[in-house]
């Protein structure tokens, strides 16, 4: 039996070295400790935040916004990517508009969304959906266009209907690229969640608002704690997505 994978501690070398350098620089007063705060201050602030129920409510709200927007953007992205990739007519009708729209910076949509929908959850979820939509479309499009003519000929020989062609040939063959697009879309969705909470401040709740609150109070310890919390949650998302992708693609032969 293959050995069970273990945690690679080498990945902690750089963070630990950074913390050691950070501690030394602040302890020896080599930097302005009002701007580059000591690690102990961040830990104290972090414990206070972790003891507050509002912190967990904020995490839950951020996760709800992120997953809601991701689900909308991912479903729309797979549908549009499949349509453009499988239909020449759709590519000619929709393709130019899509490729033009994706050149627009995502944050350029925020003023329009806030004007139409305000600064509540609706605007945030739609913005997150936009963020996930583009990478999922591109991944799906690449996968669908990678289906060879030979595969299509085999499907014709077996008398596949249009729905069978889509669900038994095109989507399974494109699944590696689709899953890669979904994973990238999940990362973009999390970045957009924090950006939307920071820029579309409304209820003051969410992980992005921790950084905003720290900035307004010039509480650098709170800002650093918020950044660490955001990074850790994003890393958990990435690990879950990687494991899910690997499990769903177990049918592929190993790459040597």
């Amino acid at each position: 039996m293959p050995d069970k994978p273990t945690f690679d501690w080498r990945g902690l070398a750089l963070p630990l070295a950074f913390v050691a350098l950070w501690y030394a620089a602040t302890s020896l007063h080599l930097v302005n400790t009002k701007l580059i705060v000591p690690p102990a201050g961040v830990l104290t602030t972090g414990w206070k935040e972790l003891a507050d129920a509002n912190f967990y409510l904020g995490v839950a709200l951020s996760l709800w916004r992120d997953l809601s927007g991701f689900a909308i953007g991912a479903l729309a992205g797979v549908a549009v990517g499949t349509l453009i990739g499988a239909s020449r007519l759709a590519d000619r009708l929709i393709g130019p508009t899509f490729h033009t729209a994706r050149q627009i910076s995502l944050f350029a949509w925020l003023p329009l969304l806030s004007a139409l929908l305000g600064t509540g959850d609706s605007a945030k979820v739609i913005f997150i959906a936009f963020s996930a939509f583009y990478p999922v479309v591109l991944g799906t499009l690449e996968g669908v266009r990678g289906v060879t003519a030979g595969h299509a000929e085999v499907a014709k020989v077996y008398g596949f209907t249009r729905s069978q062609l889509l669900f038994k040939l095109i989507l399974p063959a494109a699944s590696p690229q689709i899953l890669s697009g979904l994973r990238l879309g999940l990362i973009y969705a999390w970045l957009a969640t924090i950006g939307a909470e920071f820029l579309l401040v409304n209820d003051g709740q969410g992980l992005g608002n921790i950084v905003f609150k720290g900035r307004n109070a010039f509480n650098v310890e709170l800002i650093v704690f918020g950044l660490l919390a955001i990074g850790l949650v994003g890393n958990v998302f990435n690990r879950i997505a990687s494991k899910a992708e690997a499990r769903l693609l177990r049918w592929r032969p190993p790459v040597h």
Side-chain angles (χ1 to χ4, degrees):
M1 289 179 64
D3 293 336
K4 208 174 178 182
T6 57
F7 183 77
D8 191 347
W9 295 97
R10 290 174 295 182
L12 294 176
L14 185 59
L16 290 175
F18 174 78
V19 171
L21 181 62
W22 178 15
Y23 176 79
T26 53
S27 297
L28 297 173
H29 299 284
L30 300 176
V31 294
N32 184 350
T33 53
K34 290 183 179 179
L35 296 176
I36 302 177
V37 295
V42 177
L43 284 175
T44 302
T45 301
W47 281 121
K48 289 180 181 177
E49 287 293 314
L50 292 172
D52 188 350
N54 286 326
F55 171 77
Y56 300 98
L57 176 60
V59 172
L61 283 171
S62 291
L63 293 177
W64 176 82
R65 290 163 182 155
D66 175 69
L67 295 176
S68 298
F70 172 72
I72 295 169
L75 289 172
V78 171
V80 172
T82 303
L83 184 63
I84 295 176
S87 169
R88 289 184 181 178
L89 178 60
D91 186 24
R92 290 173 181 171
L93 290 175
I94 304 172
T97 303
F98 167 75
H99 291 296
T100 300
R102 74 185 182 92
Q103 303 303 321
I104 301 172
S105 170
L106 287 170
F107 287 95
W109 292 101
L110 279 173
L112 179 61
L113 289 173
S114 60
L116 295 174
L117 301 172
T119 58
D121 279 340
S122 297
K124 292 171 184 173
V125 170
I126 294 300
F127 175 68
I128 296 163
F130 264 118
S131 303
F133 174 73
Y134 293 116
V136 175
V137 171
L138 293 173
T140 304
L141 183 59
E142 179 185 355
V144 171
R145 285 182 173 170
V147 178
T148 64
H151 287 122
E153 290 298 325
V154 171
K156 285 182 181 179
V157 170
Y158 281 97
F160 278 17
T161 63
R162 285 182 179 272
S163 61
Q164 288 176 323
L165 185 65
L166 176 62
F167 292 106
K168 290 190 175 183
L169 173 64
I170 294 176
L171 291 180
S175 59
Q177 289 82 3
I178 293 174
L179 289 172
S180 294
L182 288 170
R183 182 180 172 188
L184 189 59
L186 189 62
I187 294 171
Y188 275 61
W190 181 241
L191 297 175
T193 299
I194 303 306
E197 289 176 347
F198 188 78
L199 297 172
L200 294 176
V201 178
N202 181 29
D203 53 14
Q205 292 177 325
L207 279 177
N209 296 117
I210 292 177
V211 178
F212 183 82
K213 184 171 65 173
R215 187 194 70 173
N216 283 349
F218 201 72
N219 186 338
V220 181
E221 289 91 344
L222 187 58
I223 295 172
V224 174
F225 170 73
L227 293 174
L228 290 173
I230 290 166
L232 287 172
V233 174
N235 186 47
V236 170
F237 265 133
N238 187 49
R239 287 180 176 274
I240 292 173
S242 296
K243 289 183 180 295
E245 183 180 359
R247 184 173 291 273
L248 290 169
L249 295 177
R250 283 181 301 176
W251 54 271
R252 288 196 304 176
V255 178
H256 296 289

